Amino acid sequence: MKTNEIENLKIEFEEVKDFLIALGDEKRQIIMIALLNDHACNGCNGLRVIDLTEATNLSRPAVSHHLKILKQIGLVAIRREGTKNYYYLSNAVPEMKKLRDLLDNVMSTMAEGEEEV
């Protein structure tokens, strides 16, 4: 295994660290599933915090906190209608591509290691 490959993997892990942390939280996963369900069923109209409190059994402040984190990493966007805010899954393609590339590179490095044995 080449030292250069390992150094590149370290950099790639660092680049997706916040994304992985955000995805790793069970409550945020539940919120994302609710938003995915809304997207599939309603064509991405979005959900309000009150809708997500019912779906997750979390308090409004807790849902807002998790939405803020998901917004920071680009997975959730907001649409405002008057005083109402609707949250929906955004197109976080760059971050997802980085994650996919990292996983591809890890698999490739592992495969190279198996060939050397």
Side-chain angles (χ1 to χ4, degrees), residues 92-106:
V93 172
E95 291 301 317
M96 289 183 189
K97 184 180 180 321
K98 284 181 189 177
L99 181 58
R100 185 184 62 216
D101 290 347
L102 168 65
L103 295 173
D104 287 345
N105 291 337
V106 167

Side-chain angles (χ1 to χ4, degrees), residues 31 34-35 38 42 45-49 51-52 85-88:
I31 289 171
L35 293 172
D38 174 67
N42 300 321
N45 291 331
L47 295 174
R48 296 179 57 208
V49 170
D51 302 322
L52 292 166
N85 295 327
Y86 293 87
Y87 296 88
Y88 61 94

Side-chain angles (χ1 to χ4, degrees), residues 24-94:
D25 185 89
E26 184 179 351
K27 301 300 183 188
R28 289 191 281 275
Q29 291 169 11
I30 294 169
I31 289 171
M32 287 181 54
I33 289 169
L35 293 172
L36 280 166
N37 188 46
D38 174 67
H39 181 81
C41 296
N42 300 321
C44 196
N45 291 331
L47 295 174
R48 296 179 57 208
V49 170
I50 191 73
D51 302 322
L52 292 166
T53 61
E54 293 170 8
T56 61
N57 293 322
L58 293 172
S59 68
R60 290 175 66 106
V63 168
S64 294
H65 168 74
H66 290 297
L67 285 169
K68 178 182 176 185
I69 291 169
L70 292 170
K71 280 175 39 185
Q72 288 173 338
I73 63 163
L75 274 176
V76 170
I78 186 170
R79 177 177 53 84
R80 290 180 170 81
E81 284 185 17
T83 60
K84 297 177 182 176
N85 295 327
Y86 293 87
Y87 296 88
Y88 61 94
L89 292 175
S90 69
N91 194 356
V93 172

